[in-house]
Each structure stands twice: as C-alpha cells, then as structure tokens.
DNA sequence: ACCTGAACACCGTTCAAGT
DNA sequence: ACCTGAACACCGTTCAAGT
C-alpha cells in the first residue's frame, strides 16, 4: 500500500485533528508524524518548525470564519453574523482562542478577515479611528467570551453546569463568599446558556456602538 | 552558607519570577528548582505537580487585583477601577491571561475577587441574572482586551507600533487588502494607545449596562 | 520530614547519511 | 528532492534510597 506523498496541507490537516482532539499541549511534531505514518524529521521538509506549523493551523481556523461584507446595507447584521461565526469556529477549535491575535506572521485568511471587518465598518460610515475602536472592542469581547467558554478541561466533554459543580466541590468553605453561594446554587438550578449570554453582550455592544456613531 | 528552607511560598515566588520573565513556556519544574538551588524533585514536597503550581501562581495574580466594594455608592466607579486594575495586573503577568478563568481549583483570591464583583453589582440593584450578564460581559471584554495586548512575543519589550510594523513586514503583498493598508499606515503615523483604547470600550460597556439596568 | 539520583517516557530540532 | 537514524538538550514525574 503506497502512501500519499507528504505535503504542507496534509501535515496541517493531521495537526489540526490532533489539536482539536487533545488541545495544544497534546500537539507534538512526533505525534503529527506518527499520525501520518512518517518520522518526525520528515515534517521539517514541509514546515519550518513548530511555530510555523501553528501559524498554519491558525490560518486554517481564520478561513472558517463567515466574513462580513463591506458595503452591505445592515452593518450591525454583518458584524453580528461574523461575531457569531467566530464564536462557533472557536468552539470547534478551542486550543486556538489564545493564538488568533498573536501571530507575528498573519496568514492570508487572517488578513482577509481583518480587512473585511474594517471594510464593513468604514463603508458603514465609521471614521477611521471609530472603526478601530469598534473592531478592537468587538474582538476583545468575542475572544474574551470564547476564552471563558473554552476554559473547560480538554479531555472531557462536560457542560457548564458540571464544571461549575466540580469547581464548587474543590472549594473547602464558601461561607466567606455569600454572593458566590448564590451563583453556585442558581447555576445548578437554572443552568447557563452560553449562546444566549453571548448574544446579550454582543447586542448591547452593537447597540452602544450605533448610538456612539450617530450621536 | 545555610540556605532558607523550601516552602510552598518560596517555590511559587520563584516560579512567578520565571513566568514573568520568560512566559509560560519557559516555566519548568527543573528551572524553578535550579533558581532555588535545589533539585527538581524537591519541589514535589511542596506542590502536587506542575498544574498545582500554576494554580498557585494564578491565585497570586488574582491577589494583586484591586477589588470593588459591595455597597459603595458609585458602582460604575467601582467596576471601572477594578477593570483598570485587572488590565494592569495582566500586563505585569501576561502569561496569566489565558489561565485566569480556567482553574478547576479556584484559590481564595480568585473566589474573593468573583465574590466582590457579584456583590458590588447585586448591592447596586442588579437582579441576579442581570448581575451575571454584567459580570460575564465585563470579564469577557477585560480578558479579551488583555489577550490582544499580551500577544506580543515574550522575549522582546516592543511597543505596539513596532509589532504592527513587524507584522506588516511579514506580509508579502497588501494590495488585495485596501482597508488594512489604511490600518498599517495610520498606526505607523499616529500610534496606538492601549490605555485609551481600553477606556473607550470599558466606558461604552458600563454606560450601556447602566442604561439596560434603569430602562 | 524533606531532599536526591537514577530512571522512564516524553519533547523540538540538527545533521549527516541514505534513497 | 525527500525521508530517516542517531544524537543533543531539554521536559514532568516515579520511586527507592539517603539524611
């Protein structure tokens, strides 16, 4: 059985699968190689090093984001759709949350994404600095929310209620923290819906940005 | 020269210094031990493992945050002061940004911090769910902003303009991304002040939360 | 009770050698 | 041109042995 020739794309695809399954810390050159039926050193013919491999992975993640359309009539709708897409994408690739904004060598999908966001805001009438404000604020919220959401341990597929319960179990005595008692009991009782929570903050921010723009 | 006996506090202090200097990836049990003039295995008498050590570090970071006071007359001022403090603290400990919300064993300073935030909002008249919304939104923004800000490479003390320039240098051709050309040229010309940018988003969110509460 | 030497199962990366 | 074996300088963690 002849095996397919190694390419950068095949290396990245295998690495993405590993990272999605076990997180960044379970991603090693040696494991990627094993997954491809090859020795670790062979990978260096297709990626410069691990940093370069991660750069490639992050751009694959950027490529999954649904882009806003510059010039579309409803800028809030465009920014909203894109924000929801970023959250979904980062839920599929939780290991990527902390890496999206830190690439020193942004890939084409990364550039395309930032260009589309700025373009959509500028064409909607935002002045340059106002567009920077809006884009920076929205990204901070989206990435920060994804960070909260992604912070479950990697090997488990627990839901939020279970995680809250496990955290509470690790606390020896809650009596000095009365307001947290309320949080723990309410969360256990009524649960917590990330999608709803995300939409609340997103619409609050979009509304405030609109008011600030037209004011 | 007799050396001071090892304690959990001394282990954590040495580890904090290492992480602040070189980031998480330069923090190893062996290096912490070397810094303390001891063998790596000795640390295990004072921390359960590396995870436990990181838990301890994160709680040291939480302990540096200036807490809001439940019942204080100006809740916006309290939340603002605390948000600014979190940003400052995370600028001193950039390695911590991604770890603050992911601890499965929250330490006492962590609990105190969340308790104070919820307490301040509840005493200001926020209904329970509204307080959860507000706290979740504010933390998402703060951590997300800190994530953007922390994403410079660890070994350098570059400012934002230099980083933007370096990123641009890594892009072969910007012509397909006209809106990014504007960003790169404006950033190089007029710079970018993180503190101002942070305050803009923070005040926009606090204002919108106030309107949503009294509406 | 606390510290350590040796060992195990891992890492990323290099380099010269193979095909 | 691409793949690999051996090697180097690292990891976290265990366990039995020292004091």
């Amino acid at each position: 059985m002849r095996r397919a020739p190694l390419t950068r794309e095949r290396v990245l695809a295998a690495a993405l699968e590993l990272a999605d399954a076990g997180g960044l810390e379970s991603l090693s050159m040696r494991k990627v190689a094993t997954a491809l039926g090859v020795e670790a050193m062979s990978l260096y013919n297709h990626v410069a090093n691990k940093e370069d491999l991660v750069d490639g992975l992050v751009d694959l993640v950027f490529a999954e984001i649904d882009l806003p359309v510059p010039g579309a009539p409803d800028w809030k709708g465009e920014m909203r759709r894109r924000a929801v897409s970023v959250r979904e994408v980062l839920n599929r690739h939780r290991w990527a949350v902390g890496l999206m904004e830190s690439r020193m060598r942004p890939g084409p999908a990364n550039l395309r994404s930032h260009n589309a966001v700025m373009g959509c805001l500028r064409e909607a009438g935002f002045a340059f600095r106002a567009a920077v404000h809006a884009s920076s604020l929205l990204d901070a919220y989206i990435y920060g929310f994804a960070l909260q959401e992604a912070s479950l341990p990697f090997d488990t597929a627990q839901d939020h209620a279970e995680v809250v319960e496990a955290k509470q179990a690790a606390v020896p005595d809650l009596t000095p923290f009365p307001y947290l008692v309320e949080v723990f009991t309410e969360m256990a009782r009524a649960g917590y819906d990330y999608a709803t929570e995300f939409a609340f903050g997103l619409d609050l921010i979009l509304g405030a940005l609109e008011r600030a723009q037209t004011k």
Side-chain angles (χ1 to χ4, degrees), chain A:
Chain A
M1 181 184 121
R2 204 94 210 87
R3 77 174 178 240
L6 226 47
T7 61
R8 183 171 227 266
E9 284 65 42
R10 289 191 63 227
V11 171
L12 290 178
L16 186 64
E17 203 164 334
L18 267 172
D20 286 347
L24 257 196
E25 67 277 24
S26 93
L27 177 72
S28 77
M29 299 298 276
R30 290 164 130 106
K31 281 193 207 155
V32 173
T34 303
L36 291 163
V38 100
E39 297 301 316
M41 313 76 199
S42 307
L43 303 180
Y44 288 85
N45 289 302
H46 303 96
V47 294
N49 47 38
K50 196 180 180 182
E51 168 92 4
D52 181 35
L53 182 146
V54 171
D55 281 349
L57 290 187
V58 168
D59 217 54
L60 286 181
V61 174
F62 266 108
E64 290 184 25
I65 297 171
D66 200 3
L67 296 186
V69 180
D74 174 19
W75 70 267
K76 272 171 64 178
E78 295 297 307
M79 296 310 285
R80 189 178 210 292
R81 186 167 46 76
R82 178 246 172 192
V84 168
S85 171
V86 174
R87 172 174 171 259
E88 281 169 4
V89 167
L90 290 180
N91 271 335
R92 286 201 290 274
H93 310 290
R94 299 195 307 207
W95 53 269
V97 179
L99 305 175
M100 302 292 281
E101 295 289 286
S102 69
R103 300 300 88 197
M104 287 309 288
R105 299 175 168 280
N110 183 336
L111 297 169
R112 200 150 41 229
S113 170
H114 281 101
N115 186 67
V117 169
M118 277 301 288
C120 187
L121 291 167
R122 296 290 277 124
E123 298 303 324
F126 281 79
F128 174 72
R129 280 287 154 181
V132 171
H133 284 332
S135 145
S136 155
L137 168 50
L138 281 167
D139 276 352
Y141 175 65
I142 297 165
Y143 289 122
F145 193 93
L147 197 65
Q148 296 180 329
E149 200 169 359
S151 64
L152 322 176
F154 251 112
D155 41 353
T156 59
Q158 298 170 299
D159 69 1
H160 184 78
E162 284 176 72
V163 172
V164 170
E165 219 166 315
K167 278 199 191 189
Q168 183 179 9
V171 178
D173 182 16
L174 269 178
T175 51
F177 313 112
Y179 300 103
L180 288 187
V181 173
E182 186 180 34
V183 171
F184 283 124
T185 54
E186 267 302 306
M187 291 300 166
R189 199 186 58 76
Y192 185 85
D193 180 16
Y194 275 110
T196 307
E197 194 72 34
F198 181 67
F200 166 82
L202 181 58
D203 287 331
L204 183 137
I205 288 172
L206 287 173
L209 283 174
E210 184 172 42
R211 259 193 311 275
Q213 186 204 12
T214 58
K215 186 176 57 187

